[in-house]
Amino acid sequence: MIEIRKLRKQYGSGSRITHALQEINLTIDKGEIYGIIGHSGAGKSTLLRTINLLERPTEGSVFVDGVDLTALSTKKLQDQRRRIGMIFQHFNLLSSATVEENIAFPLRLAGTAKSEARRRVGELLALVGLTEHGKKYPAQLSGGQKQRVGIARALATNPHVLLCDEATSALDPQTTNSILNLLLDINRKLKITIVLITHEMQVIRSICDRVAVIHDGQIVEQGPVAEVFLKPRHDVTRQFIEQVADSVEIDKPDVSGAPAQDGTVLKITFLGETTYEPILSRTVQQTGVTFSILQGTISRMKNTPYGQLVVRLQGPRDAAENTIRLLREHGLDVEVYSNGLV
C-alpha cells in the first residue's frame, strides 16, 4: 500500500546541512492504522509530509498503491494526491466558509458537479456526527467539532490513505478519545489506511496496529504495537512507554538481597486471549510447585488484551524448570529474574 525506500531529507548546503530524515524504510499495509511517534524535532512531521510529497525527499522513493510519487509529473502528482487525505493539528479550516463549504472545498477543486458535491457533503456530515452543524462557521464550533470537519474534508474525494498530523494534540483528553474512536470507525467502515504521527503513546496504544519510533531523523524501532510495548529495545521507546499511566512494562523487582531458598522469580507476559486463561494455575498444579504473585498488570492495546505477572515459584528445581518449559510451550514469554530453587 505505502512503501518508503531509502528515504533521506536534508535542508541547507555545504557545512550548514541539516539531516531531517536518514535512510528511512517503511512498509504500511492496506487498511491498517500505522503510528509514527517521536519527540519534537525528531522528523515525524517531515516524514508524514513526504508520503504525499508536500515535502519532496532529497533521495529515495515513496510508493502509494504501487505508484512511485517521486517519479510523477506535477499534473499526475496532483491527481494522485486526491487519493491521499490529510488532517492537521490546528484544523486549517476556512474561517469565512460554513462547515458544508469547508467539506465541499476539495470537491470544488476537483470539478465535482454541485449536486454530487451536496450529496457527498451530506454523507460526510452524517459520518462524522455533524449533520445539524452544516450551516455553522468554524468560530461557532468546539475544537473537537472543528477536527471532525477537518476529517470530513479530508475524506471528501474518497481517498485510499488518510494522513493525520498530530490530529489530537490540541484537544482535551475526552475530546481526544472521541476523535480516536471516530478514526477507528472510519478505518473499519471505509477500509482506509490511516497513518498518524503523535508524541503521545496513549494514542498509539489506543488505535494503532503497528508503530515506528523516530529519533534524530532515523527509525530506531518498529513493529506491532503490542510487541513494541511489551519488549521495547530503544531508550526513546521506553521513555514514551513511561508516559502511559498504567505502563505495560512493570518494574523488575529487587531480588538481590533475597536468600537463595526464596525460590525462582519469573516475569510472565501474556498476549491475546491467553491473558484470560488460567494457564499458570493449571501448570503449577501439573508440576507441583507453588507460586506467589509479586507484581501484575492487565490491560488492552486496541483490540488486543495483554498482561504481565512477576511471580515467585517455590519447589524442587526440576519442577520449576518443567513449569517454565510448559509455560513457554503455551506461547507465553517467560523471563527468569533469579533462580534460587534447589
Side-chain angles (χ1 to χ4, degrees):
M1 178 59 183
I2 300 173
E3 187 176 358
I4 298 172
R5 301 178 185 171
K6 297 182 178 180
L7 187 140
R8 293 176 56 250
K9 176 66 179 179
Q10 64 185 42
Y11 300 99
S13 60
S15 61
R16 302 179 70 86
I17 289 178
T18 298
H19 297 283
L21 298 172
Q22 305 178 58
E23 199 71 17
I24 302 292
N25 292 284
L26 283 180
T27 299
I28 299 170
D29 295 332
K30 180 178 177 61
E32 77 173 330
I33 302 180
Y34 196 97
I36 300 170
I37 190 167
H39 293 297
S40 297
K44 57 186 185 295
S45 290
T46 303
L47 175 56
L48 188 79
R49 290 164 66 88
T50 62
I51 295 176
N52 58 4
L53 259 61
L54 289 178
E55 291 278 358
R56 184 169 284 275
T58 306
E59 292 181 13
S61 303
V62 179
F63 290 81
V64 178
D65 282 337
V67 178
D68 183 359
L69 301 189
T70 59
L72 297 180
S73 65
T74 301
K75 173 65 169 64
K76 289 184 177 180
L77 178 58
Q78 289 174 345
D79 292 339
Q80 286 295 318
R81 279 178 175 156
R82 293 194 181 101
R83 305 170 69 147
I84 306 173
M86 191 164 187
I87 59 176
F88 303 90
Q89 176 180 358
H90 297 296
F91 321 126
N92 288 14
L93 301 181
L94 302 170
S95 60
S96 60
T98 66
V99 167
E100 291 177 341
E101 291 166 343
N102 268 281
I103 298 171
F105 183 69
L107 295 170
R108 183 159 61 85
L109 291 180
T112 306
K114 288 185 178 180
S115 59
E116 174 62 18
R118 282 196 297 271
R119 184 194 65 79
R120 181 65 177 150
V121 169
E123 288 179 350
L124 291 166
L125 284 171
L127 179 66
V128 301
L130 292 178
T131 300
E132 305 300 320
H133 300 276
K135 303 299 182 185
K136 292 183 179 179
Y137 289 87
Q140 299 173 281
L141 304 177
S142 67
Q145 289 170 334
K146 289 177 183 177
Q147 194 57 285
R148 287 172 181 265
V149 176
I151 292 170
R153 180 184 59 187
L155 296 173
T157 57
N158 291 300
H160 296 179
V161 177
L162 181 61
L163 306 180
C164 305
D165 189 357
E166 296 275 12
T168 61
S169 62
L171 306 174
D172 63 75
Q174 183 176 354
T175 306
T176 290
N177 287 336
S178 72
I179 295 298
L180 293 179
N181 287 332
L182 175 59
L183 290 174
L184 267 175
D185 189 50
I186 288 169
N187 173 256
R188 290 166 181 158
K189 287 180 177 177
L190 305 182
K191 310 303 181 186
I192 189 171
T193 304
I194 298 178
V195 185
L196 63 86
I197 63 168
T198 183
H199 60 272
E200 300 170 291
M201 207 59 165
Q202 182 60 43
V203 171
I204 299 293
R205 188 174 76 166
S206 296
I207 69 169
C208 291
D209 300 298
R210 291 193 296 147
V211 61
V213 182
I214 188 168
H215 178 64
D216 286 344
Q218 301 179 70
I219 300 297
V220 296
E221 190 161 357
Q222 61 179 301
V225 171
E227 180 181 308
V228 172
F229 261 74
L230 294 172
K231 289 289 184 181
R233 299 188 305 272
H234 197 277
D235 287 344
V236 172
T237 310
R238 296 187 186 96
Q239 291 171 15
F240 280 117
I241 290 173
E242 288 172 0
Q243 293 178 353
V244 184
D246 55 336
S247 175
V248 299
E249 185 69 13
I250 60 180
D251 295 330
K252 180 176 180 178
D254 182 7
V255 295
S256 58
Q261 62 269 25
D262 273 3
T264 292
V265 178
L266 311 174
K267 182 173 77 171
I268 306 169
T269 299
F270 304 80
L271 187 61
E273 294 309 313
T274 60
T275 304
Y276 302 116
E277 295 178 9
I279 296 174
L280 177 60
S281 61
R282 287 202 303 256
T283 301
V284 297
Q285 288 173 18
Q286 182 178 347
T287 60
V289 300
T290 60
F291 74 94
S292 55
I293 297 174
L294 305 182
Q295 297 182 48
T297 183
I298 186 169
S299 190
R300 298 184 74 87
M301 281 177 277
K302 196 175 181 180
N303 299 320
T304 304
Y306 66 88
Q308 290 185 324
L309 287 177
V310 175
V311 300
R312 175 177 284 119
L313 303 182
Q314 293 178 306
R317 179 181 293 277
D318 59 346
E321 291 175 349
N322 193 31
T323 301
I324 295 169
R325 179 183 61 79
L326 290 173
L327 291 173
R328 287 172 173 161
E329 287 180 359
H330 278 93
L332 304 184
D333 183 86
V334 181
E335 181 179 353
V336 180
Y337 283 159
S338 70
N339 192 342
L341 288 172
V342 295

